[in-house]
Amino acid sequence: MIKLYNTATRTREDFIPNHPDIVKMYTCGPTVYHFAHIGNLRSYIMEDILEKSLRYHGYNVKRVMNITDVGHLASDADTGEDKMLKGAKRENKSVMEIAKFYTDAFFEDCRKLNIKRPDVVEPATNCIDDYIHIIETLIEKGYAYAAGGNIYFDVSKLKQYYIFNDFSEDDLEVGVREGVTEDSNKKNKNDFVLWFTKSKFEDQALKWDSPWGVGYPGWHIECSGISMKHLGEDLDIHCGGIDNAFPHHTNEIAQSEAYLGHKWCNYWMHVHHLNTNSGKMSKSKGEFLTVSLLEEKGYDPLVYRLFCLQSHYRKNLVFSWENLDNAVVTYNKLIAKIAALKPGEGEVDGAAFDELKAKFLEALGNDLNTALAVTAVYDVLKAKTNDTTKLAVLDDFDKVLGLDLIKKAEAKRKELAAAAPKTGEFTVICESGEPDAEVEAQIRARQDAKKAKNFAEADRIRDELKAKGVEIIDIAGGAKYKRL
Ligand code: AMP
Ligand code: ZN
């Protein structure tokens, strides 16, 4: 049984899907106006872990993700510049070129981080007719109105609206908070745009005909439309970063349930933010942290994946290069330990396998306790069972962890085998102090003397080195030396 924290009820609940044979999962996808930063990717790593955990627990999953290539304005509250237009202007390209480039870049980052591609990936611009149909129905049902050329959702028509925020309705009344510019077309402060027309955004690059004039959809409607198009009228799990909870997900629930006339999604999962020491992660200020930047600095992207797995998704996580360096040490040690296991040693012990797997399943089922799931890897290494069983269990865990444990360990084994001395070769190892070419040449000369049975010469060289403060220790296939 999987337990998941549900933001909608603010409790940890047993996960029970609507249909026993399939879990319907929806993920808010990226706004493709720039590269994803590693904060965005923390959300996608954890959502990938959720999907893989569900599959590991035996569920079939159908997962859908949108690509926001239209409609997301600089502010989630429908104000400011259009993000796609902003990207196109910045790079002197068309909106479609920007969308294609950054969609490809996003999936390339995902590939490097072992994030599985969702079963359905749908660009928002593919589903305009679906949004128009939903908006028409909302108008017919009295949930939406036209004002100033745009179509708005009327939140006052709902019995319940504020599902994901802790403010009371009074706190959010129009004009109560200072410094908030209000859209004078809105009847209520939290009303949101379903459809923009060109009367408001003359320079909008992508626009479509609609019953309300030429224009384009609001951001929130795309997720409701795409989810219903591919997953039907009910949804098991909807996920996104915590900033999506309000207003985006609140508005998705409002419009979807008003349209459907019944409950839409049962479980809401939100990944908390990755921050830097100076605060919020940004694409414009300070260091723009991307997967490419990690690679440029010599980090394996999977080290970042491990870094994310070491903390719980419902806690903020602080990124620093020092923290990432610690993850490098952990990852390298882990791979070295797995590389030391000998493949093909004995048969898989089924009972031991099941026992180790049970612990891992329990950790994941406990609201995705990935830190504990990583600890389960160490339990496997310490377990009293043969290496074949250990390797089989680790391979199985990696279906969820996605750390390439077996592949990297195999590569490490090959690397060690290549570096190991060939039969008959004489290796000289410096055990303390700096390696010294002259000393090493003398040690080799001593070896040659021994081979030629000139033991007097061999002893003379040993004594000469001793006088220099260097001690030689004979080992299999060579000699070690240390400074006394
Ligand atoms: P966007 O491309 O801005 O639509 O964001 C893509 C995803 O990243 C959304 O699910 C956001 O909620 C999430 N997100 C944004 N900033 C962060 C962050 N600093 N840490 C984790 N997730 C984030
Ligand atoms: Zn969304």
Side-chain angles (χ1 to χ4, degrees), residues 107-134:
F107 284 112
E108 183 57 13
D109 287 345
C110 288
R111 190 188 61 73
K112 289 175 182 166
L113 290 164
N114 276 345
I115 297 171
K116 177 186 166 290
R117 191 182 168 98
D119 304 291
V120 177
V121 173
E122 184 78 278
T125 47
N126 270 2
C127 306
I128 303 297
D129 290 347
D130 298 86
Y131 317 141
I132 290 178
H133 172 71
I134 297 173

Side-chain angles (χ1 to χ4, degrees), residues 308-312 363-364 368-378:
C308 291
L309 299 191
Q310 285 174 311
S311 73
H312 195 255
L364 292 172
L368 299 186
N369 191 337
T370 48
L372 208 58
V374 171
T375 310
V377 170
Y378 290 96

Side-chain angles (χ1 to χ4, degrees), residues 242-259:
I242 190 69
D243 58 304
N244 280 167
F246 183 82
H248 184 49
H249 290 161
T250 306
N251 292 349
E252 281 189 43
I253 295 171
Q255 67 205 2
S256 299
E257 297 193 352
Y259 168 78

